[in-house]
Amino acid sequence: MSSFFSKLLITIARRKLESKNSSTTISNKQVLPLARRIKIEIAHGIKDYIYVLIGVFSAGFGLKGFLLPNRFIDGGATGISLLLENITQIDLSYLLILVNLPFLILAAKTFNVKFALRSIISIAILALVVHYVEYPTITEDPLLIAVFGGFFLGLGIGLAMRGGSVIDGTEVLAIWLSKKLSITIGDVLLLINIIIFSFGAYVLSIEIALYAILTYLSAAKTVDFVVDGVEEYVGVTIISNKHEELRKMIVEELRRACTIYVGKGGYGGQEEAYNKDIIYTVVTRLELAKLHTEIDKIDANAFIIMGLVKDIKGGMIKRKPMK
């Protein structure tokens, strides 16, 4: 980190502390940990937006290089937008924002406003890319259009999710309905897309609807490959000397439940072993980036073990969204 950037972070951290404690003198011992946290937050934020930008341009390539010139559709909010574009001749860039807007309002209530704002920005950038960026039409072969159009679109959706946002709002609706109806997110998405493809078969043709199903399957499998599935939970085991700070962060800041195991260090000789608490918590894929950021703020050297959890019952995970 450059000297200028270090001084800037320290200045920002000092001003933050002074605004909270104007009557007391702020020492360097208080400023440096906050400056480090701000640095981690900026680094993670830059990484997330790089994911989103690459995802947006990939999705734009899938739409304008394959699907849009050949009047193909996909599933989800993007599929609804493509279907409406074929019916109304309204520019797809406007439809992407209009169709996703209700889902993003729901996201603000289901998750949090920050997640919804990130998603609005991502979809707005996608709309600008679709409207202004000229992509070449790659092929007119229906099979290649369906497979590779779905691949690049799914890659874009997956990378945006890795960046902590969505560019297709139906995932938000699926998560919300799954909590209300006690069915899996995958089942909800399947039902939504069956309705979209049925309309596609009626308005366009059965052949295009069948190719659209292939496009959707290609996109869905690519999203699974990039983010291991939006409907999957992740079990996170954290081993750190700062276990009490991490426990408080998970419970108080992220509003998640966690389980504490009593463990003992096994590395080194007998005299080097020591007792430590081991933290176990469960989060969704969309919340994993936020958890990593908060852990890095407290202990960048924490040992973290992650494992996919197909489903869970009870607990706090479905009731209290991460802030």
Side-chain angles (χ1 to χ4, degrees):
M1 184 169 62
S2 69
S3 177
F4 171 76
F5 191 55
S6 299
K7 289 177 180 177
L8 181 62
L9 289 177
I10 289 169
T11 303
I12 293 169
R14 187 178 293 278
R15 286 180 179 174
K16 276 193 171 186
L17 290 172
E18 286 173 350
S19 65
K20 292 180 181 177
N21 306 288
S22 55
S23 59
T24 59
T25 305
I26 306 300
S27 66
N28 286 336
K29 193 175 180 181
Q30 293 172 291
V31 172
L32 290 175
L34 181 58
R36 180 179 169 274
R37 289 189 177 201
I38 295 171
K39 175 193 169 187
I40 290 170
E41 213 162 54
I42 292 170
H44 280 258
I46 291 170
K47 182 187 73 174
D48 290 344
Y49 277 107
I50 288 172
Y51 276 134
V52 169
L53 284 173
I54 296 172
V56 162
F57 279 96
S58 174
F61 182 52
L63 288 169
K64 292 196 74 175
F66 292 92
L67 302 181
L68 196 57
N70 298 284
R71 294 173 59 84
F72 269 46
I73 64 171
D74 181 35
T78 308
I80 297 171
S81 303
L82 287 164
L83 191 59
L84 289 173
E85 195 268 345
N86 278 290
I87 298 170
T88 63
Q89 302 302 314
I90 297 173
D91 193 280
L92 181 64
S93 57
Y94 301 123
L95 290 170
L96 285 169
I97 295 174
L98 291 173
V99 171
N100 278 289
L101 195 58
F103 301 124
L104 297 176
I105 293 170
L106 181 63
K109 296 179 179 179
T110 306
F111 294 101
N112 53 67
V113 176
K114 185 179 178 182
F115 172 76
L117 287 174
R118 270 191 174 191
S119 299
I120 289 170
I121 292 169
S122 301
I123 292 167
I125 296 171
L126 176 61
L128 290 172
V129 167
V130 169
H131 189 76
Y132 290 107
V133 178
E134 293 298 327
Y135 290 98
T137 302
I138 303 302
T139 179
E140 294 182 0
D141 183 277
L143 184 61
L144 292 177
I145 293 165
V147 173
F148 286 97
F151 169 77
F152 284 107
L153 187 59
L155 181 63
I157 293 170
L159 287 172
M161 288 172 64
R162 286 286 297 271
S165 65
V166 293
I167 55 176
D168 191 299
T170 47
E171 280 87 357
V172 175
L173 177 64
I175 292 169
W176 183 76
L177 286 176
S178 71
K179 295 176 183 178
K180 297 292 182 182
L181 304 177
S182 298
I183 58 177
T184 66
I185 294 173
D187 289 340
V188 178
L189 287 172
L190 180 62
L191 181 62
I192 292 170
N193 287 306
I194 285 173
I195 296 170
I196 295 169
F197 297 143
S198 298
F199 272 103
Y202 177 75
V203 173
L204 301 173
S205 70
I206 293 176
E207 184 181 7
I208 288 179
L210 292 173
Y211 277 119
I213 294 171
L214 186 58
T215 302
Y216 165 71
L217 292 174
S218 175
K221 287 298 177 185
T222 306
V223 172
D224 288 342
F225 178 77
V226 176
V227 295
D228 290 328
V230 67
E231 67 268 32
E232 289 179 332
Y233 301 100
V234 181
V236 183
T237 302
I238 309 165
I239 302 173
S240 168
N241 295 336
K242 299 180 179 179
H243 46 78
E244 182 58 23
E245 291 178 57
L246 289 167
R247 184 195 66 79
K248 286 182 179 179
M249 175 271 293
I250 291 169
V251 174
E252 296 174 8
E253 293 184 31
L254 305 185
R255 300 178 65 201
R256 282 281 169 254
C258 63
T259 301
I260 307 297
Y261 297 101
V262 177
K264 189 174 183 179
Y267 180 76
Q270 184 64 32
E271 66 280 358
E272 297 177 74
Y274 55 91
N275 294 329
K276 62 176 76 175
D277 287 341
I278 299 170
I279 302 170
Y280 180 80
T281 188
V282 179
V283 297
T284 65
R285 272 282 171 187
L286 290 175
E287 298 165 334
L288 197 55
K290 173 69 173 174
L291 180 62
H292 277 307
T293 301
E294 296 301 322
I295 291 172
D296 279 353
K297 288 179 184 178
I298 296 169
D299 185 3
N301 296 316
F303 184 60
I304 305 169
I305 306 165
M306 293 173 287
L308 296 179
V309 179
K310 286 293 181 183
D311 202 4
I312 60 171
K313 184 178 180 181
M316 294 172 63
I317 188 166
K318 293 187 178 180
R319 294 205 299 265
K320 295 186 178 180
M322 186 176 285
K323 291 288 183 183

